[in-house]
């Protein structure tokens, strides 16, 4: 049986506590796309070593993220959820693709410039990060990549790399397209609504975390910063605080913003903020419960990740094989073995 659904791939970094912004602009899309396509969600642990990190934290955050992805509704039967480091093809593809990646283009990546600015130590990995990401996407013959706006430039580089490879070595890769969230892609900080809600930059009160307990969520919305003009109307430039809350409420309940404006016309800010808080509690409480259950069952998490890795290898390996062959490497056996037992040196 052939599968004509589009192939979907996205990567998520196992670092930092995931916020409501990550849910709204990421996890929510993943769960939706799982219904529409043959979807792969990769915990990109190899990307996380490109900046200063702590091995114990990486270990814990990787399991946290896996549990959170399943808790948010990704289904191991329908989607492939796996760790990048479990599929060695990723690291190999990155090296091969570095041959068709321009040094100049890597130097123009705004994320690299931002993350390296003023640092005493900048790893080579931070510079080649987009090559690893291109490999992630291209190994799976991906059609669609759900990502945030901040990843546009990296996706563009992946497309350039694919085209250059295809041109130089023969048609090997599909050219992927980005899918960007229409609503909820920019959830703002509750205390500083002109700044994006961020794991690293937001204050504890400014960010809502996906695993915050209900009372913490209620408190954060109660103290959310609003605007001086007392009217509940969507106007991100003039009324960033209220607009952000409207957007959050729309994400949480699925109701269009226009409808919410009507529903809360004439309501006070206090009442509105409380309603938004309740909606978010309702959204996140079941996710948190599933997260706690799964996170405390490490054996089950490991099993799910092993299933994902095996499925991912079967899809990635043939692409990697074709890359080696077309680039002129000597093949010693028809086909290579799947999995950890595959000897490369023979
Ligand atoms: N760079 C991305 C994470 C990422 C990714 C990918 C996203 C790594 N590989 C492949 C989509 C496809 C980020 O920081 N959000």
């Amino acid at each position: 049986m052939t599968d004509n659904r589009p192939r979907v791939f996205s990567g998520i970094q196992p670092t930092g506590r995931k916020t409501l912004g990550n849910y709204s602009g990421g996890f929510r899309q993943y769960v939706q796309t799982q219904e529409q396509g043959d979807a792969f969600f990769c915990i990109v642990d190899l990307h996380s070593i490109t900046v200063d990190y702590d091995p114990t934290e990486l270990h814990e955050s990787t399991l946290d993220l896996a549990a959170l992805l399943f808790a948010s509704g990704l289904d191991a039967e329908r989607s492939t959820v796996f760790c990048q480091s479990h599929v060695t093809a990723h690291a190999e593809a990155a090296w091969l693709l570095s041959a068709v990646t321009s040094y100049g283009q890597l130097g123009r990546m705004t994320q690299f410039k931002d993350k390296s600015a003023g640092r005493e130590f900048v790893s080579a990995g931070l510079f080649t990060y987009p090559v690893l990401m291109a490999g992630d996407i291209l190994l799976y013959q991906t059609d669609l990549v759900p990502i945030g706006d901040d990843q546009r430039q990296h996706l563009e580089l992946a497309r350039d790399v694919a085209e250059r490879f295809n041109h130089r070595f023969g048609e090997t890769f599909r050219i992927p397209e980005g899918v960007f969230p229409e609503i909820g892609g920019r959830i703002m900080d509750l205390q500083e609504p002109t700044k994006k809600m961020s794991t690293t930059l937001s204050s504890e009160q400014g960010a809502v975390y996906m695993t915050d307990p209900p009372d913490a969520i209620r408190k954060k919305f109660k103290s959310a910063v609003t605007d001086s003009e007392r009217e509940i109307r969507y106007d991100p430039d003039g009324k960033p605080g209220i607009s952000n809350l409207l957007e959050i409420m729309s994400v949480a309940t699925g109701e269009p913003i226009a409808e919410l404006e009507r529903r809360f016309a004439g309501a006070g800010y206090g009442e509105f903020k409380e309603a938004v808080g309740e909606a978010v509690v309702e959204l996140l409480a079941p996710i948190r419960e599933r997260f706690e259950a799964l996170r405390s069952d490490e054996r089950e998490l490991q099993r799910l990740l092993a299933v994902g890795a095996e499925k991912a290898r079967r899809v990635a390996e043939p692409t990697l094989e074709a890359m080696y062959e077309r680039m002129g490497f000597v093949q010693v056996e028809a086909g290579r073995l799947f999995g950890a037992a595959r000897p490369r040196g023979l």
Side-chain angles (χ1 to χ4, degrees):
M1 204 177 78
T2 56
D3 190 344
N4 295 321
R5 294 174 308 159
R7 171 73 49 77
V8 177
F9 185 100
S10 196
I12 311 105
Q13 289 234 35
T15 41
R17 290 155 74 195
K18 299 299 175 195
T19 67
L20 181 62
N22 294 123
Y23 175 80
S24 167
F27 290 58
R28 202 166 57 105
Q29 270 64 244
Y30 308 150
V31 175
Q32 278 168 7
T33 42
Q34 139 179 289
E35 312 297 328
Q36 296 150 12
D38 177 18
F40 289 73
F41 300 104
C42 180
I43 299 172
V44 292
D45 47 6
L46 297 173
H47 277 105
S48 298
I49 64 169
T50 56
V51 288
D52 191 25
Y53 82 103
D54 175 71
T56 309
E57 264 171 40
L58 175 65
H59 188 104
E60 294 305 305
S61 324
T62 301
L63 294 171
D64 284 351
L65 178 57
L68 200 53
L69 287 169
F70 291 120
S72 303
L74 291 184
D75 171 355
E77 295 283 316
R78 280 180 295 168
S79 298
T80 302
V81 179
F82 69 104
C83 285
Q84 191 182 30
S85 64
H86 294 167
V87 181
T88 56
H90 291 256
E92 292 177 66
W95 181 253
L96 299 184
L97 292 175
S98 71
V100 285
T101 306
S102 148
Y103 174 86
Q105 193 176 8
L106 285 178
R108 287 192 293 277
M109 294 293 117
T110 55
Q111 187 171 297
F112 173 71
K113 289 196 271 188
D114 291 346
K115 288 199 177 181
S116 60
R119 298 252 168 188
E120 173 183 332
F121 178 84
V122 177
S123 74
L126 189 65
F127 186 67
T128 55
Y129 176 116
V131 192
L132 181 61
M133 175 164 163
D136 297 342
I137 298 167
L138 301 177
L139 277 173
Y140 295 84
Q141 304 295 344
T142 301
D143 298 296
L144 303 174
V145 186
I147 34 172
D149 237 0
D150 61 333
Q151 296 297 311
R152 270 181 204 272
Q153 205 185 15
H154 287 162
L155 182 70
E156 207 44 54
L157 180 131
R159 291 164 53 95
D160 291 348
V161 164
E163 271 163 9
R164 198 171 296 116
F165 190 104
N166 286 349
H167 189 251
R168 171 90 172 78
F169 301 113
E171 281 304 308
T172 305
F173 300 122
R174 264 184 204 241
I175 310 299
E177 308 269 349
V179 187
F180 302 91
E182 280 158 36
I183 162 180
R186 272 184 77 77
I187 295 297
M188 311 306 271
D189 187 302
L190 297 186
Q191 292 299 318
E192 295 179 81
T194 51
K195 293 190 185 146
K196 220 172 136 172
M197 188 181 284
S198 152
T199 315
T200 44
L201 304 175
S202 288
S203 67
E204 183 66 30
Q205 283 306 304
V208 174
Y209 297 101
M210 284 180 71
T211 53
D212 270 347
D215 279 339
I217 297 175
R218 290 191 184 101
K219 235 170 102 189
K220 288 178 183 183
F221 279 98
K222 239 184 216 151
S223 64
V225 166
T226 43
D227 318 284
S228 51
E229 183 203 339
R230 297 208 154 290
E231 193 193 350
I232 294 168
R233 186 166 46 79
Y234 189 74
D235 168 17
D237 297 320
K239 300 167 70 67
I242 283 296
S243 303
N244 189 38
L245 293 174
L246 278 165
E247 191 145 343
I248 290 172
M249 181 112 185
S250 173
V251 165
T253 63
E255 275 174 275
I257 287 176
E259 217 157 280
L260 294 170
E261 285 175 327
R262 243 171 283 136
R263 178 136 74 88
F264 287 97
Y269 278 173
E271 182 189 339
F272 176 60
K273 288 200 284 188
E274 208 169 294
V276 181
E278 274 323 305
V280 173
V281 166
E282 254 174 68
L283 170 76
L284 294 181
I287 296 178
R288 176 169 184 258
E289 278 161 32
R290 286 192 295 266
F291 169 80
E292 300 290 349
L294 191 54
R295 186 62 182 85
S296 61
D297 187 354
E298 244 174 66
R299 279 180 64 120
E300 174 61 4
L301 262 185
Q302 301 257 353
R303 187 190 69 80
L304 290 170
L305 288 175
V307 168
E310 187 55 31
K311 284 204 279 178
R313 284 184 201 117
R314 286 184 187 284
V315 177
E317 281 284 343
T319 303
L320 183 68
E321 204 55 50
M323 290 168 72
Y324 275 120
E325 194 189 313
R326 289 175 193 173
M327 291 179 83
F329 291 98
V330 172
Q331 310 291 104
V332 283
E333 233 179 56
R336 296 195 281 157
L337 298 172
F338 290 123
R342 176 168 56 74
R344 182 72 195 129
L346 282 186

